[in-house]
Amino acid sequence: DAKTTQPTSMDCAEGRAANLPCNHSTISGNEYVYWYRQIHSQGPQYIIHGLKNNETNEMASLIITEDRKSSTLILPHATLRDTAVYYCIVRLLNSGNTPLVFGKGTRLSVIA
Amino acid sequence: ETGVTQSPTHLIKTRGQQVTLRCSSQSGHNTVSWYQQALGQGPQFIFQYYREEENGRGNFPPRFSGLQFPNYSSELNVNALELDDSALYLCASSPLAGVTGELFFGEGSRLTVL
């Protein structure tokens, strides 16, 4: 079973920041937080990951609380193309046998 | 750099038949994993192959089997198809111990069992 809980759906106005929350209260000390998204009819796409520090890349920012029990993915300026299901996953890094355990994710709708 | 490609993109089978799905991994990736995604659900891990050996398996029955070839491409075989096997089957490739742990997914093969 997935070790994360996410809201089922969210809306965001185009051009505004999309903030997607995730709870992972049972995360272990050596587990990372990963975010993937899945645009309709495509395979999941990696967005970002982090352990305990905040991370930023060209796609998004990841904010992890100090106790690591929750995190927020931020899309700073959402576009219509960001409409997708977003999955928050906890996983060991560099463990070749550890699969991704997906929950149902959050369906983000970006509205013009 | 060629990404992960899967074939066929869509297919229809009847209950009891067998199906083979194919996946070409991204260049330089030696690990391939397969996921099943039922409608409205997140992907579920089926199994993973590394250097032609299965090295991880999810909660799927033995009628789900696979192969990995020396060029790291892979096949997923499902025997005795059931209606509940209707799903999107996703292949993902990665280096076994990559720096980021990122998996690269193909666009999937959508199987319908009638």
Side-chain angles (χ1 to χ4, degrees):
Chain A
D1 290 347
K3 295 179 67 173
T4 62
T5 55
Q6 300 177 250
T8 302
S9 64
M10 295 180 63
D11 293 337
C12 178
E14 187 178 21
R16 305 296 294 269
N19 296 281
L20 292 91
C22 179
N23 288 320
H24 32 78
S25 58
T26 62
I27 191 170
S28 302
N30 56 354
E31 287 181 315
Y32 285 67
V33 179
Y34 281 78
W35 284 83
Y36 279 73
R37 73 179 183 183
Q38 187 172 23
I39 296 170
H40 183 62
S41 297
Q42 297 183 20
Q45 175 193 22
Y46 166 85
I47 302 173
I48 199 167
H49 77 286
L51 182 62
K52 53 184 178 181
N53 297 323
N54 297 338
E55 302 288 343
T56 295
N57 63 20
E58 65 278 6
M59 291 182 67
S61 295
L62 173 60
I63 308 299
I64 303 174
T65 58
E66 192 169 345
D67 63 7
R68 302 211 322 124
K69 292 185 177 182
S70 66
S71 60
T72 301
L73 179 74
I74 300 172
L75 308 178
H77 305 286
T79 71
L80 298 178
R81 288 176 294 180
D82 292 321
T83 292
V85 178
Y86 287 77
Y87 297 100
C88 171
I89 300 164
V90 297
R91 180 180 184 235
L92 293 171
L93 180 62
N94 287 338
S95 176
N97 292 345
T98 305
L100 296 175
V101 181
F102 291 84
K104 292 189 176 182
T106 296
R107 183 173 298 278
L108 176 68
S109 298
V110 181
I111 302 166
Chain B
E1 182 176 272
T2 305
V4 178
T5 58
Q6 295 187 240
S7 63
T9 55
H10 297 81
L11 70 167
I12 299 172
K13 293 285 188 177
T14 57
R15 195 169 47 183
Q17 285 189 312
Q18 178 266 344
V19 68
T20 297
L21 307 178
R22 296 178 175 83
C23 172
S24 293
S25 60
Q26 184 160 322
S27 177
H29 289 178
N30 54 19
T31 302
V32 173
S33 51
W34 287 89
Y35 289 76
Q36 180 197 64
Q37 186 173 24
L39 200 61
Q41 305 294 316
Q44 301 299 306
F45 175 69
I46 303 175
F47 45 54
Q48 176 176 283
Y49 278 82
Y50 170 65
R51 291 187 176 179
E52 304 176 55
E53 297 286 334
E54 183 182 298
N55 75 339
R57 188 177 184 92
N59 189 26
F60 280 81
R63 61 188 184 85
F64 286 78
S65 63
L67 286 172
Q68 187 181 30
F69 301 99
N71 66 355
Y72 304 134
S73 66
S74 177
E75 288 183 354
L76 165 66
N77 299 290
V78 186
N79 294 322
L81 284 167
E82 301 177 359
L83 298 179
D84 285 349
D85 296 333
S86 294
L88 180 68
Y89 288 86
L90 294 159
C91 171
S93 75
S94 64
L96 181 61
V99 173
T100 67
E102 177 181 354
L103 298 188
F104 296 80
F105 284 85
E107 297 202 345
S109 294
R110 184 165 296 282
L111 171 65
T112 301
V113 182
L114 303 177

